[in-house]
Amino acid sequence: MESVEQLLERLVTGVIRDRIGADAPAAVRPCGNPKFGDYQVNGILPIAKVEKKNPRALADLVAAAAAQPLAAIAEPPTVAGAGFINVKLKPGFVASRLPQALANPRLGVPAASPARTIVLDFSAPNVAKSMHVGHLRSTIIGDSIARTLRFLGHRVITDNHIGDWGTQFGFLVHGFKQEKLDLASATDPIAEMERVYRKYYGASEADPSIREAAKAELVKLHADDSENLALWKKLRDLSMPAFERVYQRLGARFDHTLGESFYHPRLPGVVAGLKGKGLAEDSEGAVCVFFRDVPALKDKPFLIQKSDGAFLYPTTDLATLQYRVETWQPGEIIYVTDSRQKLHFQQLFETARRWGHADLKLAHVTFGSVLGEDDKPIKTRSGEPIKLGQLLDEAERRAMEIVEAQNAELPAETKREIARVVGLGAVKYADLSQNRINDYVFSWPKMLAMQGNTAPYLQYAYVRIRSIFRKGSMEHGARSMEPGAVVLADPAELDLAKFILRFPEAIELATEDYRPNFICSYLYDLACKFSAFYEQCPVLKAGEPTRASRLMLCQLTAGVLRQGLDLLGIQTIEQM
RNA sequence: GCGCCCGUAGCUCAAUUGGAUAGAGCGUUGGCCUCCGGAGCCAAAGGCUGUGGGUUCAACUCCCGCCGGGCGCACCA
């Protein structure tokens, strides 16, 4: 189903081609200011510049010629400013689109064409350590991108590239051998692993022999020593359930969890391959890729093998990329990590291009740090990273306090569910509603506020709509509606109706640069417009045909809210 | 030293990728409960978009220089 914006773009671009002979887009955008109309054509000015013509005259010509093709959709277009063409939708057209959106499984959002295969790499916690706030943004943002791309019909493969082969295992293996611990009986195996790691890593700073021992154990592990391998496997397997619990709470799903260790056998081949192609060379005993022809990277080598023969993060990432291409033939791979890794991915992508993956789209989706109220990266009072599980517990606890204060009479089970959905939604929404490239300040009161651009506000708007249907004894609204039966007489009705039809635009913006905050701001505006309508227009008490028409607006609003929140990984509830 | 990112209302943030008069929330001030959930709604005040140049019909957005803040840069990941 074509969106309103796409429809206008297609028609006006056709007029520009036929009447001016210019092969240029109409560049239709929503009007910056509603007083001008609903959509504006921005494409005339650039054309006038190229053709060296008067922009106003050109705009007059196109506007006049567009009146006929747009007759069923909009009032006759008008020209304003330097050469903008303003388009105001006819209420009758808006009314006719609503039943189509209602009947459409995607609420009017066009399916991606062509659908592509996209590998999405996000979250990536380290084995033997708890997930902490550092993994929050990657997981939440990555999951939202996955949901959105899937919604559009793409084949999305989510792959959790866990850190299960790094230097931490040297200390862990050494420590566990020293202490002869039996992890199977531990109530919190990860806490044990963290304790052992901290103890031996800490001790190594004063005692180099411990560092040497740890390094030796790591070398043995990487050489497939059976005892170390068995111990490593145990540590890894005992870490997974804790990750799983967090993902289940967050609603994040991975199709694959192929960690660093999976690629271990491929690493020598990667280095040999790159050297063979002349892309990598020996330097100071190590093997590096140099980018002498890229000014920004010319003094920044990409190390793929250490002078002691060990492989590095870049080597694994290259092997991973190669495996993904061989296995899934993706058109694109997206990595969701914090912005500090920018240089690494620049180098990785540049190497991949030279390596023969020039047609593969590679995207590094970066984000800033989570800061505490003191504007420093968030930590506990003792300086430890905040554990993700504890953070989610606190979100639910704080939401529960609010539910208790507002709706103490609800059954305990219902209150728990509300607190869970609202608490987790608040954490996610606070993160996703901001431009991901900036750092963001974590604040409980702000994310749990019931007013303003927050998850609880949106969830509340949804609840109010559902309440109307309950009150009217209609659990499910109408599934279809005759286009002629829609009445949009009140300005609040028309305003809401037009905005419902703009859901596709929000999705497109959010997808273009992997920016979920565009979905958030659309949903917030939608909720605000619904509130205005709700105050202004009685639904259940209205006479027919207005009542049925307003019920449909309610139903569509609820549908878009629920779907939009779902794309953010946020649930809705029936009451709160 | 080199490179990347950020600087927008008192505070926290938007701004559809170069479009018309830069928008929200919090906070402040003032209104709205015979009415579908007031966890709500409406309104007012608040800005030289860090700064100085440049490009353009048009700049928060692009280019150059400063000033502030953050991050990264050879054997961690």
Side-chain angles (χ1 to χ4, degrees), chain A residues 63-107:
Chain A
Q68 174 57 31
L70 297 183
I73 301 168
E75 310 294 345
T78 55
V79 174
F84 302 101
I85 300 174
N86 291 319
V87 177
K88 193 180 172 97
L89 300 178
K90 283 182 173 169
F93 169 73
V94 176
S96 74
R97 291 283 297 200
L98 294 174
Q100 295 176 32
L102 185 67
N104 183 282
R106 258 188 280 261
L107 294 159

Side-chain angles (χ1 to χ4, degrees), chain A residues 268-280:
Chain A
V270 168
V271 174
L274 286 166
K275 283 179 87 168
K277 283 193 155 190
L279 294 172

Side-chain angles (χ1 to χ4, degrees), chain A residues 175-491:
Chain A
F176 276 94
K177 281 184 174 174
Q178 291 288 306
E179 309 213 349
K180 299 189 171 55
L181 286 167
D182 179 19
L183 267 182
S185 61
T187 50
D188 186 349
I190 291 204
E192 275 297 280
M193 295 182 219
E194 287 182 321
R195 186 186 63 74
V196 170
Y197 175 78
R198 251 198 307 274
K199 178 173 165 187
Y200 286 86
Y201 181 80
S204 75
E205 299 194 327
D207 182 355
S209 73
I210 294 180
R211 181 175 295 273
E212 289 306 312
K215 201 170 170 183
E217 297 291 8
L218 187 69
V219 169
K220 277 172 76 183
L221 172 67
H222 287 181
D224 293 336
D225 172 80
S226 62
E227 189 191 1
N228 282 13
L229 214 49
L231 185 51
W232 164 79
K233 198 168 181 328
K234 194 195 244 173
L235 297 176
R236 191 189 61 167
D237 290 349
L238 285 168
S239 300
M240 298 311 290
F243 296 162
E244 233 1 89
R245 275 196 297 279
V246 170
Y247 293 136
Q248 223 152 53
R249 293 179 76 178
L250 288 174
R253 200 192 90 206
F254 292 96
D255 301 310
H256 301 280
T257 299
L258 298 175
E260 294 166 343
S261 64
F262 178 80
Y263 301 98
H264 179 226
R266 303 174 77 100
L267 302 182
V270 168
V271 174
L274 286 166
K275 283 179 87 168
K277 283 193 155 190
L279 294 172
E281 58 197 84
D282 294 316
S283 171
E284 296 175 29
V287 181
C288 304
V289 179
F290 287 97
F291 312 96
R292 298 189 176 87
D293 53 333
V294 182
L297 297 178
K298 70 175 184 341
D299 56 348
K300 310 239 181 322
F302 196 43
L303 261 74
I304 58 173
Q305 189 168 20
K306 293 168 41 168
S307 49
D308 67 2
F311 302 106
L312 294 132
Y313 179 40
T315 330
T316 310
D317 269 359
L318 285 164
T320 306
L321 188 144
Q322 186 186 51
Y323 174 84
R324 286 169 174 166
V325 169
E326 285 171 10
T327 310
W328 299 306
Q329 290 92 40
E332 178 173 6
I333 303 177
I334 302 171
Y335 300 84
V336 186
T337 84
D338 70 87
S339 51
R340 287 176 307 191
Q341 299 188 44
K342 233 173 162 166
L343 175 61
H344 167 75
F345 281 101
Q346 237 181 315
Q347 294 171 318
L348 177 70
F349 294 175
E350 188 56 43
T351 305
R353 265 191 287 278
R354 294 166 189 219
W355 203 20
H357 301 292
D359 294 336
L360 178 64
K361 184 177 173 195
L362 293 165
H364 184 205
V365 173
T366 63
F367 53 83
S369 310
V370 181
L371 306 180
E373 307 269 18
D374 58 355
D375 278 357
K376 298 220 177 86
I378 191 166
K379 289 203 169 89
T380 60
R381 248 169 269 154
S382 55
E384 299 285 307
I386 294 171
K387 292 185 175 160
L388 202 36
Q390 291 174 0
L391 184 113
L392 300 181
D393 289 345
E394 182 162 2
E396 292 184 26
R397 187 180 61 68
R398 286 174 179 262
M400 187 54 129
E401 279 174 15
I402 297 169
V403 178
E404 289 289 3
Q406 299 290 340
N407 268 322
E409 74 288 354
L410 291 171
E413 179 60 28
T414 308
K415 284 189 285 195
R416 266 200 300 280
E417 178 64 1
I418 294 169
R420 187 184 71 79
V421 172
V422 171
L424 294 178
V427 170
K428 288 187 176 190
Y429 193 88
D431 197 322
L432 294 169
S433 61
Q434 289 194 33
N435 188 338
R436 56 177 170 72
I437 63 175
N438 296 315
D439 292 348
Y440 101 91
V441 179
F442 194 94
S443 159
W444 290 115
K446 275 180 185 144
M447 68 179 71
L448 281 163
M450 301 298 162
Q451 61 280 71
N453 189 6
T454 66
Y457 177 81
L458 297 181
Q459 289 165 324
Y460 179 65
Y462 180 83
V463 162
R464 288 207 292 184
I465 299 173
R466 295 302 302 154
S467 175
I468 292 172
F469 284 93
R470 265 200 309 281
K471 204 124 200 161
S473 306
M474 299 163 285
E475 279 312 302
H476 316 283
R479 281 182 176 61
S480 66
M481 183 142 193
E482 289 301 315
V486 180
V487 188
L488 299 173
D490 192 286

Side-chain angles (χ1 to χ4, degrees), chain A residues 120-123 135-150 156 158 252-254 334-337 365 367 432 436 516 567:
Chain A
L120 198 51
D121 180 324
F122 63 100
S123 196
H135 303 107
L136 184 67
R137 299 201 86 180
S138 177
T139 308
I140 291 176
I141 293 168
D143 181 53
S144 175
I145 293 171
R147 287 164 179 267
T148 307
L149 293 174
R150 281 203 181 104
V156 177
T158 49
R253 200 192 90 206
F254 292 96
I334 302 171
Y335 300 84
V336 186
T337 84
V365 173
F367 53 83
L432 294 169
R436 56 177 170 72
L567 297 179

